[in-house]
Amino acid sequence: MATYFISDLHLSPERPEITAAFERFLNNEAQDAKKLYILGDFFDAWVGDDDNDAFARQLKTLLSSISQRGVEVFFIRGNRDFMIGEALANACRFTLLEDETVIELYGKRVLVMHGDTLCTADVEYQQFRKMVRNPVWQQQVLALPLNQRRAMAADLRSKSQSMNAMKAEDIMDVTLSEVATIMDEYRVKTLIHGHTHRPAHHQFEEKGKPHSRWVLGDWHNNTHYLRADENGFELKELTLTR
């Protein structure tokens, strides 16, 4: 049995091939999964647990099917699906985790997170994140009709894409000093995160001790996932088409 980590699938009705690839992943590569950690941006947008359109119902059924197979599912909200609440978690039988969570994995303390808070050089985004993670702001948005929320989400995605296109690449990557700070704060030597869409395994020394940072990739042209068992970690990639 193994533990799997994924992030940044950005599932949407506009790209059904990604949803199909995720189902294949569950039925093939991850068929030996004991636990699955979804580290944010599973949805391209989530406007509230009361969303009942056809695609939302499809994804709710898909998430529920994972736990029905006996797989423990854990979810950390990302910058696209920060509106996920306990209602969805209960309905789909997954566990919502804090933005920064330490887990015990095969004898190691491992910090898991979406990764957006590590990008401290992107000041504009961090200000936006502070606003949308405010419970008061979220309650005000959730009080709006679903159609209005969907339009708001589409507008935010469009603006985000436009702004990101104008930002330097290094601004949207993690700040290495922040990585070191947070790993020291949680007393871990292994960190797993997504968000940057730059799959890699970074090894470095901090205070004379080896540290490891696994970065999950997005599912735009390829599927990137991390598999862990008692023998270690392996970052894998599959093509979307089959």
Side-chain angles (χ1 to χ4, degrees), residues 5-205:
F5 301 84
I6 57 174
S7 73
D8 300 282
L9 277 68
H10 294 271
L11 298 181
S12 71
E14 290 75 27
R15 295 202 63 189
E17 71 275 14
I18 304 180
T19 305
F22 179 58
E23 291 188 75
R24 290 197 303 271
F25 163 75
L26 294 174
N27 294 326
N28 294 283
E29 287 75 23
Q31 61 183 327
D32 65 339
K34 180 180 180 181
K35 297 181 179 182
L36 173 66
Y37 287 85
I38 303 173
L39 303 187
D41 288 4
F42 180 74
F43 306 98
D44 196 42
W46 188 252
V47 298
D49 293 354
D50 58 335
D51 195 347
N52 59 355
D53 69 8
F55 187 67
R57 293 197 304 271
Q58 177 187 358
L59 294 187
K60 289 177 182 179
T61 300
L62 181 55
L63 282 170
S64 298
S65 71
I66 305 173
S67 58
Q68 290 170 3
R69 291 171 35 182
V71 180
E72 292 183 76
V73 182
F74 303 90
F75 204 116
I76 291 180
R77 302 173 182 90
N79 53 290
R80 295 295 185 94
D81 44 27
F82 53 84
M83 296 289 278
I84 290 173
E86 292 292 345
L88 182 67
N90 292 334
C92 299
R93 293 189 287 183
F94 63 78
T95 302
L96 273 175
L97 300 178
E98 296 296 326
D99 292 348
E100 300 160 359
T101 297
V102 175
I103 62 174
E104 291 290 333
L105 189 64
Y106 306 108
K108 289 185 177 181
R109 283 174 53 85
V110 177
L111 176 62
V112 293
M113 58 194 305
H114 179 56
D116 53 339
T117 56
L118 299 172
C119 303
T120 57
D122 193 347
V123 176
E124 182 180 53
Y125 168 73
Q126 296 302 331
Q127 292 173 340
F128 169 79
R129 186 185 192 279
K130 184 177 180 180
M131 177 187 74
V132 300
R133 292 302 187 103
N134 186 311
V136 174
W137 184 90
Q138 292 190 6
Q139 286 302 315
Q140 291 173 341
V141 171
L142 289 172
L144 299 173
L146 270 169
N147 286 341
Q148 192 171 342
R149 280 181 262 157
R150 293 185 185 118
M152 180 183 295
D155 182 58
L156 287 174
R157 285 200 305 274
S158 177
K159 289 178 179 177
S160 174
Q161 291 169 354
S162 298
M163 293 303 298
N164 287 345
M166 296 185 290
K167 292 177 182 176
E169 285 293 310
D170 59 333
I171 289 180
M172 293 187 292
D173 203 355
V174 302
T175 302
L176 295 180
S177 60
E178 183 66 18
V179 170
T181 296
I182 200 163
M183 293 182 75
D184 182 61
E185 177 184 345
Y186 284 97
R187 297 179 290 108
V188 299
K189 297 182 180 64
T190 304
L191 168 64
I192 302 172
H193 72 84
H195 181 65
T196 64
H197 299 188
R198 302 176 185 189
H201 178 209
H202 301 277
Q203 295 175 287
F204 57 99
E205 282 200 0

